[in-house]
Amino acid sequence: MMLTAHRAPDRNAYRIPAAVLAAPAATPDTLLEPLGPGVQTVRFDRDEEVFFQGGQAVDCFEVVAGCVRTVRLLEDGRRYIGEFLFPGDVLGCEMAGQYEFGAEAVTPTTLRRYRISAVEERAARDLGFAQRLRRHSACQVRQAWGRMILLGRKTAAERIASFLLEMRDRIVPSARGAFREAFELPMSRGDIADYLGLTTETVCRGLAELRQRGVIAVNRAHVTVLDAAGLTHAGSDQVH
Amino acid sequence: MMLTAHRAPDRNAYRIPAAVLAAPAATPDTLLEPLGPGVQTVRFDRDEEVFFQGGQAVDCFEVVAGCVRTVRLLEDGRRYIGEFLFPGDVLGCEMAGQYEFGAEAVTPTTLRRYRISAVEERAARDLGFAQRLRRHSACQVRQAWGRMILLGRKTAAERIASFLLEMRDRIVPSARGAFREAFELPMSRGDIADYLGLTTETVCRGLAELRQRGVIAVNRAHVTVLDAAGLTHAGSDQVH
DNA sequence: CGCGGAGTTGACCTAAATCAACCACGGTGG
DNA sequence: CCACCGTGGTTGATTTAGGTCAACTCCGCG
């Protein structure tokens, strides 16, 4: 299937750690694949809204290409970005009733659209599918906990280092043969700031600091990790 | 069953919003109840460890009485509290492999202990059970998102107000007939601080501020919400 | 060539952390 | 029965990380 070309072959698409991957032989390629065929493919331009906070939750999506952000707003305009989604990631399938946050395309994006009701209906009769869904949510929960200690207890510098490490592991280098330590950030500094609970300026200063210390090279969107160990240390991301 | 006496009758124990509760008739009382009988009941003293961060994840728990906190530590001692658990809440059942955080008793606590493997095994053959588990994780994910905007974008005063609102809704007044706006906080100011990403002192000052404005009355553990609307406003917890 | 928006850098300010008393109880033991 | 701690809570003074405001740079584009 051509879709797999969009994903890094060695990484598991729905982020299930190796320990949980004692999966049965015929695991589908992506979480929602079993719901095809008859799936709609939809495209969104940069900054276009995929769905909005408070809207009736009817569809969920799988990213085929591009990058999507989820956003929550406080009424005075403060914005928080819940996560960035890359090819293979799934969006909105734990929503019930209303979307609790909005979703917008960071770059021109291709998504596959599924009905949440179809997901629910399938889960109600297919145990394997239900199990994979459950594991997906469990992963989301564990990831969320990681984000909380980042937001609650880490300094600006640590958050930025952690962010770079996360992106290094999640962004597939666009250039064929480009090595893993070099990648293009699809999102703006403002997006990064709203993801990390900081401001644009603080993100810039943090990146500048890391550059001056020779840990990374940055030029606009292009980032190269020069000293991975140094970056891991700067992020306090010990694998306890 | 006697356990229900420990829970507020009008609130759904595993926090599934009404919209999702289109449940089949015979819904069990608590999430893990179907796994009984033969469940062990275990007790923990104040500050005793239920399980520790990094340990092999084999058991999960349901709170019968008392209050439990989940803790994550950075190696330099910074602490973050993921959540407080009250009677009816369930703990650790989305763990795979290792516990990603520790759990400690905030007060003397009674828990029912289940094997994670038993939960998995039951989920693998009981669709209804799997569905409830899945909804439980989905709720956890949605709650986590709420916590993230709190940590990433709210001021100290707003966090404290939000916290009080959460506790008002989750803590069952101990005194029979005590009205809902008065409750006892089982956790210390330090615990609250680590839950909100603040310090003890800032929590104290925030509470003092709300007291001076006549929004609440506080005396040590005892809190009374005098002006619920004012508190909601102070917390920026609009129901969008 | 001039415009406009993202990114960067600098100067300054403020919310919350840190550091330091101090208070208010709830035991404990004389 | 009451003095004595000790622990958690509160309040005040000071410091600081990061936010705010403002200038300026660097492209990309018509």
Side-chain angles (χ1 to χ4, degrees):
Chain A
M1 206 183 191
M2 277 298 94
L3 284 186
T4 50
H6 294 285
R7 293 170 41 230
D10 61 314
R11 293 186 304 114
N12 43 65
Y14 19 112
R15 285 181 252 132
I16 295 174
V20 203
L21 266 177
T27 310
D29 234 25
T30 64
L31 181 59
L32 300 182
E33 196 202 294
L35 293 176
V39 208
Q40 278 188 307
T41 296
V42 283
R43 311 196 99 267
F44 294 90
D45 283 338
R46 190 168 179 280
D47 291 330
E48 213 181 325
E49 214 161 37
V50 175
F51 54 77
F52 63 93
Q53 182 173 345
Q56 270 294 341
V58 294
D59 296 320
C60 60
F61 300 86
E62 184 174 280
V63 181
V64 174
C67 176
V68 173
R69 62 178 173 251
T70 62
V71 292
R72 279 201 100 176
L73 292 170
L74 297 178
E75 67 290 349
D76 63 359
R78 277 175 288 179
R79 187 177 79 142
Y80 179 70
I81 292 187
E83 67 183 322
F84 293 110
L85 296 128
F86 294 98
D89 292 335
V90 152
L91 169 66
C93 67
E94 36 261 312
M95 291 295 100
Q98 290 194 318
Y99 290 115
E100 305 244 320
F101 50 76
E104 300 161 2
V106 173
T107 61
T109 298
T110 310
L111 303 175
R112 277 138 75 70
R113 186 196 346 238
Y114 303 85
R115 302 268 140 190
I116 294 175
S117 57
V119 174
E120 285 297 318
E121 188 265 327
R122 174 60 174 261
R125 61 188 167 74
D126 178 343
L127 273 165
F129 183 75
Q131 186 183 45
R132 287 191 302 277
L133 265 188
R134 203 153 43 73
R135 283 177 179 170
H136 177 262
S137 320
C139 280
Q140 296 258 97
V141 172
R142 289 202 296 277
Q143 272 187 279
W145 275 318
R147 298 290 310 292
M148 286 194 248
I149 200 168
L150 178 142
L151 293 168
R153 284 292 175 237
K154 286 192 187 178
T155 65
E158 289 169 331
R159 295 182 203 197
I160 292 162
S162 296
F163 171 77
L164 290 173
L165 289 166
E166 183 191 345
M167 290 303 124
R168 183 197 57 171
D169 291 341
R170 294 185 61 196
I171 296 174
V172 182
S174 47
R176 203 78 201 85
F179 69 126
R180 215 170 81 93
E181 307 296 338
F183 50 91
E184 303 287 323
L185 294 174
M187 70 293 283
S188 72
R189 297 293 190 264
D191 284 347
I192 299 173
D194 285 339
Y195 183 62
L196 299 177
L198 300 171
T199 59
T200 320
E201 294 92 326
T202 306
V203 171
C204 278
R205 283 189 251 269
L207 292 173
E209 165 77 18
L210 288 169
R211 174 159 28 88
Q212 279 151 32
R213 284 179 23 215
V215 178
I216 57 168
V218 219
N219 187 288
R220 296 272 170 145
H222 191 77
V223 176
T224 310
V225 177
L226 303 173
D227 175 4
L231 196 58
T232 307
H233 185 256
S236 296
D237 274 326
Q238 83 302 342
V239 196
H240 47 243
Chain B
M1 207 181 189
M2 275 298 95
L3 283 185
T4 51
H6 294 285
R7 293 169 42 229
D10 61 314
R11 294 184 305 114
N12 42 67
Y14 20 113
R15 286 182 248 129
I16 295 174
V20 202
L21 266 177
T27 312
D29 233 25
T30 65
L31 182 58
L32 300 182
E33 197 202 295
L35 292 175
V39 209
Q40 278 190 306
T41 295
V42 282
R43 310 195 98 267
F44 294 91
D45 283 338
R46 189 167 179 278
D47 290 331
E48 213 180 327
E49 216 162 36
V50 176
F51 54 77
F52 64 93
Q53 183 175 345
Q56 270 294 340
V58 294
D59 295 320
C60 59
F61 300 86
E62 184 174 281
V63 181
V64 174
C67 176
V68 173
R69 63 178 171 250
T70 61
V71 292
R72 280 200 99 175
L73 291 169
L74 297 178
E75 66 290 349
D76 64 358
R78 278 175 287 178
R79 186 177 81 143
Y80 179 69
I81 292 187
E83 67 182 321
F84 293 110
L85 297 128
F86 294 98
D89 291 336
V90 153
L91 169 66
C93 67
E94 35 261 311
M95 292 295 99
Q98 289 195 316
Y99 291 115
E100 305 245 322
F101 50 77
E104 301 162 359
V106 173
T107 61
T109 298
T110 309
L111 303 175
R112 278 138 76 71
R113 189 201 341 244
Y114 303 87
R115 301 269 141 190
I116 295 173
S117 57
V119 174
E120 285 296 317
E121 188 264 328
R122 174 61 174 260
R125 60 185 168 77
D126 178 343
L127 273 163
F129 183 74
Q131 186 183 46
R132 287 191 302 277
L133 266 188
R134 204 154 42 73
R135 285 178 179 170
H136 177 261
S137 317
C139 279
Q140 295 259 97
V141 173
R142 288 200 297 276
Q143 271 186 278
W145 275 317
R147 298 291 309 290
M148 287 194 247
I149 199 166
L150 178 141
L151 293 168
R153 284 290 176 239
K154 286 192 187 177
T155 65
E158 289 168 331
R159 294 180 203 198
I160 293 162
S162 296
F163 171 77
L164 290 173
L165 289 167
E166 184 191 345
M167 289 304 124
R168 182 196 56 171
D169 291 340
R170 293 185 61 197
I171 296 174
V172 182
S174 46
R176 203 75 200 89
F179 67 127
R180 214 170 82 93
E181 307 297 337
F183 51 91
E184 303 287 323
L185 293 175
M187 70 293 283
S188 72
R189 298 293 191 263
D191 284 347
I192 299 173
D194 285 340
Y195 182 63
L196 299 178
L198 301 171
T199 59
T200 320
E201 294 92 326
T202 306
V203 171
C204 279
R205 283 188 250 268
L207 291 173
E209 166 77 19
L210 288 171
R211 173 159 30 86
Q212 279 151 33
R213 283 177 26 214
V215 179
I216 57 168
V218 218
N219 189 287
R220 295 273 168 145
H222 190 77
V223 175
T224 310
V225 177
L226 303 174
D227 175 4
L231 196 59
T232 307
H233 184 257
S236 296
D237 273 326
Q238 83 302 342
V239 195
H240 46 243

